[in-house]
Amino acid sequence: QREAVLAQGLTRMRWYFDPLRSRSAHFNLEVLGADAVSLERDLYGPGGGRDAGYPTHRLVAEWALDRARGLVDPSAAKDATVIAVPEDWDAYREAHPDRSRDLPEEVASAFEAAFARGLRAVAVERSGGSARYLLRERR
């Protein structure tokens, strides 16, 4: 897809993903090399299906197709701003129904504050039941 889009003269792609779905975040940030650059609150209105009753906050992924991107150096985490989310959102909601009601708003607010400071999410680490977004200044 990257090559086909570049052949059309386009250099950026954007799409949305759920910040609480760390598996999707891993694919978008680590595999593709996109950055999360902003957050849209309740993009789709009230959630339905498996997300019924939860807000549909989404991160905006931006993939600079004309930029070489290597893996983020794990040692750089010490200098990054971190936003933690459950590694498996569905399992977390089942295990912590009361706590899970507040978490989407807390995560959305944390991302908005980071983006307001000029940061972007560049990686996500997943292990041991939690996931950590790593955010850095825009370069």
Coordinates of all heavy atoms in Angstrom, one line a residue, residues 15-102:
W15 N -5.4 7.9 9.6 CA -6.6 7.1 10.0 C -6.7 7.1 11.5 O -5.9 7.7 12.2 CB -6.4 5.6 9.5 CG -5.3 4.9 10.1 CD1 -5.3 4.1 11.2 CD2 -3.9 4.8 9.6 NE1 -4.1 3.5 11.5 CE2 -3.2 4.0 10.5 CE3 -3.2 5.4 8.6 CZ2 -1.8 3.7 10.4 CZ3 -1.9 5.2 8.4 CH2 -1.2 4.3 9.3
Y16 N -7.8 6.5 12.0 CA -8.1 6.5 13.4 C -7.9 5.1 14.0 O -8.2 4.1 13.3 CB -9.6 6.9 13.6 CG -9.9 8.2 13.0 CD1 -10.6 8.3 11.8 CD2 -9.6 9.4 13.7 CE1 -11.0 9.6 11.3 CE2 -9.9 10.6 13.1 CZ -10.6 10.7 12.0 OH -10.9 11.9 11.4
F17 N -7.6 5.1 15.3 CA -7.6 3.8 16.0 C -7.9 4.1 17.5 O -7.7 5.2 18.0 CB -6.3 3.0 15.8 CG -5.1 3.6 16.4 CD1 -4.7 3.2 17.7 CD2 -4.3 4.5 15.8 CE1 -3.5 3.7 18.3 CE2 -3.2 5.0 16.4 CZ -2.8 4.6 17.6
D18 N -8.4 3.1 18.1 CA -8.8 3.2 19.5 C -7.6 3.1 20.4 O -6.8 2.1 20.4 CB -9.8 2.0 19.8 CG -10.4 2.0 21.2 OD1 -9.9 2.7 22.1 OD2 -11.4 1.4 21.4
P19 N -7.4 4.1 21.3 CA -6.2 4.1 22.1 C -6.2 3.0 23.2 O -5.1 2.7 23.7 CB -6.3 5.5 22.8 CG -7.7 6.0 22.7 CD -8.2 5.3 21.5
L20 N -7.3 2.4 23.4 CA -7.4 1.4 24.4 C -7.1 0.0 23.8 O -7.1 -1.0 24.5 CB -8.7 1.4 25.2 CG -8.9 2.6 26.0 CD1 -10.3 2.8 26.5 CD2 -7.9 2.7 27.2
R21 N -7.0 -0.1 22.5 CA -6.7 -1.4 21.8 C -5.2 -1.4 21.5 O -4.7 -1.0 20.5 CB -7.5 -1.5 20.6 CG -9.0 -1.4 20.8 CD -9.6 -2.7 21.1 NE -11.0 -2.5 21.4 CZ -11.7 -3.4 22.1 NH1 -11.1 -4.4 22.7 NH2 -13.0 -3.2 22.3
S22 N -4.4 -1.9 22.5 CA -2.9 -1.8 22.4 C -2.4 -2.7 21.2 O -1.3 -2.4 20.7 CB -2.3 -2.2 23.7 OG -2.4 -3.5 24.0
R23 N -3.1 -3.7 20.9 CA -2.7 -4.5 19.8 C -2.7 -3.8 18.5 O -1.8 -3.8 17.7 CB -3.6 -5.8 19.7 CG -3.1 -6.8 18.7 CD -4.0 -8.0 18.8 NE -3.3 -9.1 18.2 CZ -3.9 -10.3 18.0 NH1 -5.0 -10.5 18.6 NH2 -3.3 -11.2 17.4
S24 N -3.8 -3.0 18.3 CA -3.9 -2.1 17.1 C -2.8 -1.0 17.1 O -2.2 -0.7 16.1 CB -5.3 -1.5 17.0 OG -5.4 -0.6 16.0
A25 N -2.6 -0.5 18.3 CA -1.6 0.6 18.5 C -0.2 0.0 18.1 O 0.6 0.7 17.5 CB -1.6 1.1 19.9
H26 N 0.1 -1.2 18.6 CA 1.4 -1.8 18.3 C 1.6 -1.9 16.7 O 2.6 -1.5 16.2 CB 1.5 -3.2 18.9 CG 2.6 -4.0 18.4 ND1 3.9 -3.8 18.8 CD2 2.7 -5.0 17.5 CE1 4.7 -4.6 18.2 NE2 4.0 -5.3 17.4
F27 N 0.5 -2.4 16.1 CA 0.6 -2.5 14.6 C 0.9 -1.2 13.9 O 1.7 -1.0 13.1 CB -0.6 -3.2 14.0 CG -0.5 -3.4 12.5 CD1 0.2 -4.3 12.0 CD2 -1.2 -2.5 11.7 CE1 0.3 -4.5 10.6 CE2 -1.2 -2.6 10.3 CZ -0.4 -3.6 9.8
N28 N 0.0 -0.2 14.3 CA 0.1 1.1 13.7 C 1.4 1.8 14.0 O 2.0 2.4 13.0 CB -1.0 2.0 14.2 CG -2.4 1.5 13.7 OD1 -2.5 1.1 12.5 ND2 -3.4 1.6 14.5
L29 N 1.9 1.8 15.2 CA 3.1 2.6 15.6 C 4.4 1.8 15.4 O 5.4 2.4 14.9 CB 3.0 3.0 17.0 CG 1.8 3.8 17.4 CD1 1.8 4.2 18.9 CD2 1.6 5.0 16.5
E30 N 4.4 0.5 15.7 CA 5.6 -0.2 15.7 C 5.8 -0.9 14.3 O 6.9 -0.9 13.8 CB 5.6 -1.3 16.7 CG 5.4 -0.8 18.1 CD 6.7 -0.3 18.7 OE1 7.8 -0.6 18.3 OE2 6.6 0.5 19.7
V31 N 4.8 -1.5 13.7 CA 5.0 -2.2 12.5 C 5.0 -1.3 11.3 O 5.9 -1.3 10.5 CB 3.9 -3.3 12.3 CG1 4.0 -4.0 11.0 CG2 4.0 -4.4 13.5
L32 N 4.0 -0.4 11.2 CA 3.9 0.5 10.1 C 4.8 1.7 10.2 O 5.3 2.2 9.2 CB 2.5 1.0 9.9 CG 1.4 -0.1 9.5 CD1 0.1 0.6 9.3 CD2 1.9 -0.7 8.2
G33 N 5.0 2.1 11.5 CA 5.9 3.3 11.7 C 5.1 4.6 11.7 O 5.7 5.7 11.5
A34 N 3.8 4.6 11.9 CA 3.0 5.8 12.0 C 3.2 6.4 13.4 O 3.8 5.7 14.3 CB 1.5 5.5 11.8
D35 N 2.8 7.6 13.6 CA 2.8 8.3 14.9 C 1.4 8.6 15.2 O 0.6 8.9 14.3 CB 3.6 9.6 14.9 CG 5.1 9.4 14.7 OD1 5.6 8.3 14.9 OD2 5.7 10.4 14.3
A36 N 1.0 8.6 16.4 CA -0.3 9.2 16.8 C -0.1 10.6 17.1 O 0.7 11.0 17.9 CB -0.9 8.4 18.0
V37 N -0.9 11.5 16.4 CA -0.6 12.9 16.5 C -1.7 13.8 17.1 O -1.5 14.9 17.4 CB -0.3 13.5 15.1 CG1 0.9 12.8 14.5 CG2 -1.5 13.3 14.1
S38 N -2.9 13.2 17.3 CA -4.0 13.9 17.9 C -5.1 12.9 18.4 O -5.0 11.7 18.1 CB -4.6 15.0 17.0 OG -5.2 14.4 15.9
L39 N -6.1 13.5 19.1 CA -7.2 12.6 19.6 C -8.5 13.3 19.2 O -8.6 14.5 19.3 CB -7.1 12.5 21.1 CG -8.2 11.6 21.7 CD1 -7.6 10.4 22.4 CD2 -9.1 12.4 22.6
E40 N -9.4 12.5 18.7 CA -10.8 12.9 18.4 C -11.7 12.3 19.4 O -11.7 11.0 19.5 CB -11.2 12.5 17.0 CG -10.4 13.1 15.9 CD -10.7 14.6 15.7 OE1 -11.9 15.0 16.0 OE2 -9.8 15.3 15.2
R41 N -12.4 13.1 20.2 CA -13.3 12.6 21.2 C -14.7 12.1 20.5 O -15.2 12.8 19.7 CB -13.6 13.6 22.3 CG -12.5 13.7 23.3 CD -12.9 14.7 24.4 NE -11.8 14.7 25.4 CZ -11.8 14.0 26.5 NH1 -12.8 13.1 26.7 NH2 -10.8 14.1 27.3
D42 N -15.1 11.0 21.0 CA -16.4 10.5 20.5 C -16.6 10.6 19.0 O -17.7 11.1 18.5 CB -17.6 11.1 21.2 CG -17.8 10.5 22.6 OD1 -17.6 9.3 22.8 OD2 -18.1 11.3 23.5
L43 N -15.6 10.1 18.3 CA -15.6 10.2 16.8 C -16.9 9.6 16.2 O -17.4 10.1 15.2 CB -14.4 9.6 16.2 CG -14.2 9.6 14.8 CD1 -14.0 11.1 14.3 CD2 -13.0 8.8 14.3
Y44 N -17.3 8.5 16.7 CA -18.4 7.7 16.1 C -19.7 7.8 17.0 O -20.6 7.1 16.7 CB -18.0 6.3 15.9 CG -16.8 6.1 15.0 CD1 -15.6 5.6 15.6 CD2 -16.8 6.5 13.7 CE1 -14.5 5.4 14.8 CE2 -15.7 6.3 12.9 CZ -14.5 5.8 13.5 OH -13.4 5.7 12.7
G45 N -19.7 8.7 18.0 CA -20.9 8.7 18.9 C -20.8 7.6 19.9 O -19.8 6.9 20.0
P46 N -21.9 7.3 20.6 CA -21.8 6.2 21.6 C -21.4 4.9 21.0 O -21.9 4.6 19.9 CB -23.2 6.2 22.1 CG -23.8 7.5 21.8 CD -23.1 8.0 20.5
G47 N -20.6 4.2 21.7 CA -20.1 2.9 21.1 C -21.3 1.9 21.1 O -22.2 1.9 21.9
G48 N -21.2 0.9 20.2 CA -22.1 -0.2 20.1 C -21.4 -1.5 20.1 O -20.1 -1.5 20.3
G49 N -22.0 -2.6 20.0 CA -21.4 -3.9 19.9 C -20.6 -4.1 21.2 O -21.1 -3.9 22.3
R50 N -19.4 -4.6 21.0 CA -18.5 -4.9 22.2 C -18.2 -3.7 23.0 O -17.8 -3.8 24.2 CB -17.3 -5.7 21.8 CG -16.3 -4.8 21.0 CD -15.1 -5.6 20.7 NE -14.1 -4.8 19.9 CZ -13.0 -5.2 19.5 NH1 -12.6 -6.5 19.7 NH2 -12.2 -4.4 18.8
D51 N -18.3 -2.5 22.4 CA -18.0 -1.2 23.1 C -19.2 -0.5 23.5 O -19.1 0.7 23.8 CB -17.1 -0.4 22.2 CG -15.7 -1.0 22.0 OD1 -15.2 -1.6 23.0 OD2 -15.1 -0.9 20.9
A52 N -20.4 -1.1 23.6 CA -21.6 -0.5 24.0 C -21.5 0.2 25.3 O -20.9 -0.4 26.3 CB -22.8 -1.4 24.0
G53 N -21.9 1.5 25.4 CA -21.8 2.2 26.6 C -20.5 2.9 26.9 O -20.3 3.7 27.9
Y54 N -19.5 2.8 26.0 CA -18.2 3.4 26.1 C -18.1 4.5 25.0 O -18.6 4.3 23.9 CB -17.1 2.4 26.0 CG -17.0 1.5 27.2 CD1 -17.7 0.3 27.3 CD2 -16.2 1.9 28.3 CE1 -17.6 -0.5 28.4 CE2 -16.1 1.1 29.4 CZ -16.8 -0.1 29.5 OH -16.7 -0.9 30.6
P55 N -17.3 5.5 25.3 CA -17.1 6.6 24.3 C -16.2 6.0 23.2 O -15.5 5.0 23.4 CB -16.3 7.7 25.1 CG -15.7 7.0 26.3 CD -16.6 5.8 26.6
T56 N -16.3 6.7 22.0 CA -15.5 6.2 20.9 C -14.4 7.2 20.6 O -14.3 7.8 19.5 CB -16.4 6.1 19.6 OG1 -17.1 7.3 19.4 CG2 -17.4 4.9 19.8
H57 N -13.6 7.5 21.6 CA -12.4 8.3 21.4 C -11.4 7.6 20.5 O -11.2 6.4 20.7 CB -11.7 8.6 22.8 CG -12.6 9.2 23.8 ND1 -13.6 10.1 23.5 CD2 -12.7 9.1 25.1 CE1 -14.3 10.5 24.6 NE2 -13.7 9.9 25.6
R58 N -10.8 8.3 19.6 CA -9.8 7.7 18.7 C -8.6 8.6 18.5 O -8.7 9.8 18.5 CB -10.5 7.5 17.3 CG -11.6 6.6 17.3 CD -11.2 5.1 17.6 NE -12.3 4.2 17.5 CZ -13.1 3.8 18.6 NH1 -12.8 4.2 19.8 NH2 -14.0 2.9 18.4
L59 N -7.4 7.9 18.5 CA -6.2 8.5 18.1 C -6.1 8.7 16.6 O -6.6 7.8 15.9 CB -5.0 7.7 18.6 CG -4.8 7.7 20.1 CD1 -3.7 6.8 20.5 CD2 -4.5 9.1 20.7
V60 N -5.5 9.8 16.2 CA -5.3 10.0 14.7 C -3.8 9.5 14.4 O -2.9 10.1 15.0 CB -5.4 11.4 14.3 CG1 -5.1 11.6 12.9 CG2 -6.9 11.9 14.7
A61 N -3.7 8.5 13.6 CA -2.4 8.0 13.2 C -2.0 8.7 11.9 O -2.8 9.0 11.0 CB -2.5 6.5 12.9
E62 N -0.8 9.1 11.9 CA -0.2 9.8 10.7 C 1.0 9.0 10.3 O 2.0 8.8 11.1 CB 0.1 11.2 11.0 CG 0.7 12.0 9.8 CD 0.9 13.4 10.1 OE1 2.1 13.7 10.5 OE2 0.0 14.2 9.9
W63 N 1.0 8.6 9.0 CA 2.1 7.8 8.5 C 2.8 8.6 7.4 O 2.2 8.9 6.4 CB 1.6 6.5 7.9 CG 2.6 5.5 7.5 CD1 4.0 5.5 7.8 CD2 2.4 4.3 6.8 NE1 4.6 4.4 7.2 CE2 3.6 3.6 6.6 CE3 1.2 3.8 6.2 CZ2 3.7 2.4 5.9 CZ3 1.3 2.6 5.5 CH2 2.6 1.9 5.4
A64 N 4.0 9.1 7.7 CA 4.8 9.8 6.7 C 5.5 8.8 5.8 O 6.5 8.2 6.2 CB 5.8 10.7 7.4
L65 N 4.9 8.6 4.6 CA 5.4 7.6 3.7 C 6.8 7.8 3.1 O 7.5 6.9 2.7 CB 4.4 7.4 2.6 CG 3.0 7.0 3.1 CD1 2.0 7.1 2.0 CD2 2.9 5.7 3.7
D66 N 7.1 9.1 3.1 CA 8.4 9.5 2.4 C 9.5 9.6 3.4 O 10.6 10.1 3.1 CB 8.2 10.8 1.7 CG 7.8 11.9 2.5 OD1 7.3 11.7 3.7 OD2 7.8 13.1 2.1
R67 N 9.3 9.1 4.6 CA 10.3 9.2 5.7 C 10.8 7.8 6.1 O 10.0 7.0 6.4 CB 9.7 10.0 6.9 CG 10.6 10.0 8.1 CD 10.0 10.8 9.2 NE 8.7 10.3 9.5 CZ 8.3 10.1 10.8 NH1 9.0 10.3 11.8 NH2 7.1 9.6 11.0
A68 N 12.1 7.6 6.1 CA 12.6 6.3 6.6 C 12.3 6.3 8.1 O 12.5 7.2 8.8 CB 14.1 6.2 6.3
R69 N 11.9 5.1 8.5 CA 11.6 5.0 9.9 C 12.1 3.6 10.4 O 11.8 2.6 9.9 CB 10.1 5.0 10.1 CG 9.5 4.6 11.4 CD 9.4 5.7 12.3 NE 8.9 5.3 13.6 CZ 8.1 6.0 14.3 NH1 7.6 7.1 13.9 NH2 7.7 5.5 15.5
G70 N 13.0 3.7 11.4 CA 13.5 2.5 12.1 C 12.7 2.2 13.3 O 11.8 3.0 13.7
L71 N 13.0 1.2 14.0 CA 12.3 0.9 15.2 C 12.8 1.9 16.3 O 13.9 2.3 16.3 CB 12.7 -0.5 15.7 CG 12.1 -1.7 14.9 CD1 12.6 -3.0 15.4 CD2 10.6 -1.7 14.9
V72 N 11.9 2.2 17.2 CA 12.2 3.1 18.3 C 13.1 2.4 19.2 O 12.9 1.3 19.6 CB 10.9 3.6 19.0 CG1 11.3 4.5 20.2 CG2 10.1 4.4 18.0
D73 N 14.2 3.1 19.6 CA 15.2 2.5 20.5 C 14.5 2.3 21.9 O 14.1 3.3 22.5 CB 16.4 3.5 20.6 CG 17.4 3.0 21.6 OD1 17.3 1.9 22.2 OD2 18.5 3.7 21.7
P74 N 14.5 1.1 22.4 CA 13.8 0.9 23.7 C 14.4 1.7 24.9 O 13.7 2.0 25.8 CB 14.0 -0.6 23.9 CG 14.3 -1.2 22.6 CD 14.9 -0.1 21.8
S75 N 15.7 1.9 24.8 CA 16.4 2.7 25.9 C 15.9 4.1 25.9 O 16.0 4.8 26.9 CB 17.9 2.7 25.7 OG 18.3 3.4 24.6
A76 N 15.2 4.6 24.8 CA 14.7 6.0 24.8 C 13.5 6.1 25.7 O 13.0 7.3 25.9 CB 14.4 6.3 23.3
A77 N 12.9 5.1 26.2 CA 11.7 5.1 27.0 C 12.0 6.0 28.2 O 11.0 6.7 28.7 CB 11.2 3.7 27.4
K78 N 13.2 6.0 28.7 CA 13.5 6.8 29.9 C 13.3 8.3 29.7 O 13.0 9.0 30.6 CB 14.9 6.5 30.4 CG 16.0 7.0 29.5 CD 17.3 6.7 30.0 CE 18.3 7.1 28.9 NZ 19.6 7.3 29.3
D79 N 13.4 8.7 28.5 CA 13.2 10.2 28.1 C 11.8 10.5 27.6 O 11.5 11.6 27.3 CB 14.2 10.6 27.1 CG 15.7 10.5 27.6 OD1 15.9 10.6 28.8 OD2 16.5 10.1 26.8
A80 N 11.0 9.5 27.5 CA 9.7 9.7 26.9 C 8.6 9.9 27.9 O 8.7 9.5 29.1 CB 9.3 8.4 26.0
T81 N 7.5 10.6 27.5 CA 6.3 10.7 28.3 C 5.6 9.4 28.1 O 5.5 8.8 27.0 CB 5.5 11.9 27.9 OG1 6.2 13.1 28.2 CG2 4.1 11.9 28.6
V82 N 5.0 8.8 29.2 CA 4.4 7.5 29.1 C 2.9 7.6 29.5 O 2.5 8.3 30.4 CB 5.0 6.5 30.1 CG1 4.3 5.2 30.1 CG2 6.5 6.3 29.6
I83 N 2.0 7.0 28.7 CA 0.6 6.9 29.0 C 0.3 5.4 29.0 O 0.5 4.7 28.0 CB -0.3 7.6 27.9 CG1 0.0 9.1 28.0 CG2 -1.7 7.3 28.2 CD1 -0.7 9.9 26.9
A84 N -0.1 4.9 30.1 CA -0.4 3.4 30.3 C -1.9 3.1 30.0 O -2.8 3.9 30.4 CB 0.0 3.0 31.7
V85 N -2.1 2.0 29.4 CA -3.4 1.4 29.2 C -3.3 -0.1 29.4 O -2.2 -0.7 29.4 CB -3.9 1.7 27.7 CG1 -4.0 3.2 27.5 CG2 -3.0 1.0 26.7
P86 N -4.5 -0.7 29.6 CA -4.4 -2.2 29.7 C -3.9 -2.8 28.5 O -4.2 -2.4 27.3 CB -5.9 -2.6 30.0 CG -6.6 -1.3 30.4 CD -5.8 -0.2 29.8
E87 N -3.2 -3.9 28.6 CA -2.7 -4.7 27.4 C -3.9 -5.3 26.6 O -3.9 -5.3 25.4 CB -1.8 -5.8 27.8 CG -1.1 -6.5 26.6 CD -0.1 -7.4 27.0 OE1 -0.1 -7.9 28.2 OE2 0.8 -7.8 26.2
D88 N -4.9 -5.7 27.4 CA -6.1 -6.3 26.7 C -7.3 -5.6 27.3 O -7.8 -5.9 28.4 CB -6.2 -7.8 27.0 CG -7.3 -8.5 26.4 OD1 -8.4 -7.9 26.1 OD2 -7.2 -9.8 26.2
W89 N -7.9 -4.7 26.6 CA -9.0 -3.8 27.0 C -10.2 -4.7 27.4 O -10.9 -4.4 28.4 CB -9.3 -2.8 26.0 CG -10.4 -1.9 26.3 CD1 -11.5 -1.6 25.4 CD2 -10.8 -1.1 27.4 NE1 -12.4 -0.7 25.9 CE2 -12.0 -0.4 27.2 CE3 -10.1 -0.9 28.7 CZ2 -12.6 0.4 28.1 CZ3 -10.7 -0.1 29.6 CH2 -11.9 0.6 29.3
D90 N -10.5 -5.6 26.6 CA -11.7 -6.5 26.8 C -11.6 -7.2 28.1 O -12.5 -7.3 28.9 CB -12.0 -7.4 25.7 CG -12.4 -6.7 24.4 OD1 -13.1 -5.7 24.5 OD2 -11.9 -7.1 23.3
A91 N -10.5 -7.8 28.4 CA -10.2 -8.6 29.6 C -10.2 -7.6 30.8 O -10.8 -8.0 31.9 CB -8.9 -9.4 29.5
Y92 N -9.7 -6.5 30.6 CA -9.7 -5.5 31.7 C -11.1 -5.1 32.1 O -11.4 -5.0 33.3 CB -8.8 -4.3 31.3 CG -8.7 -3.2 32.4 CD1 -7.7 -3.3 33.4 CD2 -9.6 -2.2 32.5 CE1 -7.6 -2.4 34.4 CE2 -9.5 -1.2 33.5 CZ -8.5 -1.3 34.4 OH -8.4 -0.4 35.4
R93 N -11.9 -4.8 31.1 CA -13.3 -4.4 31.4 C -14.0 -5.4 32.2 O -14.8 -5.2 33.1 CB -14.0 -4.1 30.1 CG -13.6 -2.7 29.5 CD -14.5 -2.4 28.4 NE -14.8 -3.5 27.5 CZ -15.3 -3.5 26.3 NH1 -15.5 -2.3 25.8 NH2 -15.6 -4.5 25.6
E94 N -13.8 -6.7 31.8 CA -14.5 -7.8 32.5 C -14.0 -7.9 33.9 O -14.8 -8.2 34.8 CB -14.2 -9.1 31.7 CG -15.1 -10.2 32.2 CD -15.0 -11.5 31.3 OE1 -15.0 -11.3 30.1 OE2 -14.8 -12.6 31.9
A95 N -12.7 -7.8 34.1 CA -12.1 -7.9 35.5 C -12.4 -6.7 36.4 O -12.4 -6.9 37.6 CB -10.6 -8.2 35.4
H96 N -12.5 -5.5 35.8 CA -12.6 -4.3 36.5 C -13.7 -3.4 36.0 O -13.5 -2.3 35.5 CB -11.3 -3.5 36.5 CG -10.1 -4.3 36.8 ND1 -9.7 -4.6 38.1 CD2 -9.1 -4.9 36.1 CE1 -8.6 -5.3 38.1 NE2 -8.3 -5.5 36.9
P97 N -15.0 -3.9 36.1 CA -16.1 -3.1 35.5 C -16.2 -1.7 36.0 O -16.6 -0.8 35.2 CB -17.3 -4.0 35.8 CG -16.9 -4.9 36.9 CD -15.4 -5.1 36.8
D98 N -16.0 -1.5 37.3 CA -16.2 -0.2 37.8 C -15.1 0.7 37.4 O -15.3 1.9 36.9 CB -16.2 -0.2 39.4 CG -17.5 -0.9 39.9 OD1 -18.5 -0.9 39.2 OD2 -17.5 -1.4 41.0
R99 N -13.8 0.3 37.5 CA -12.7 1.1 37.1 C -12.7 1.4 35.6 O -12.3 2.4 35.1 CB -11.4 0.4 37.5 CG -10.1 1.0 37.0 CD -9.7 2.2 37.8 NE -8.5 2.7 37.3 CZ -8.4 3.8 36.6 NH1 -9.4 4.6 36.4 NH2 -7.2 4.3 36.2
S100 N -13.2 0.4 34.8 CA -13.1 0.6 33.3 C -14.0 1.7 32.8 O -13.8 2.3 31.7 CB -13.5 -0.7 32.6 OG -14.8 -1.0 32.8
R101 N -15.0 2.1 33.6 CA -15.9 3.2 33.2 C -15.2 4.5 33.1 O -15.5 5.4 32.2 CB -17.1 3.3 34.2 CG -18.1 2.2 34.1 CD -18.9 2.4 32.8 NE -19.5 1.1 32.5 CZ -19.9 0.8 31.2 NH1 -19.8 1.7 30.3 NH2 -20.5 -0.3 31.0
D102 N -14.2 4.8 34.0 CA -13.5 6.1 34.0 C -12.3 6.1 33.1 O -11.8 7.2 32.7 CB -13.1 6.4 35.4 CG -14.3 6.6 36.4 OD1 -15.3 7.1 35.9 OD2 -14.1 6.3 37.6

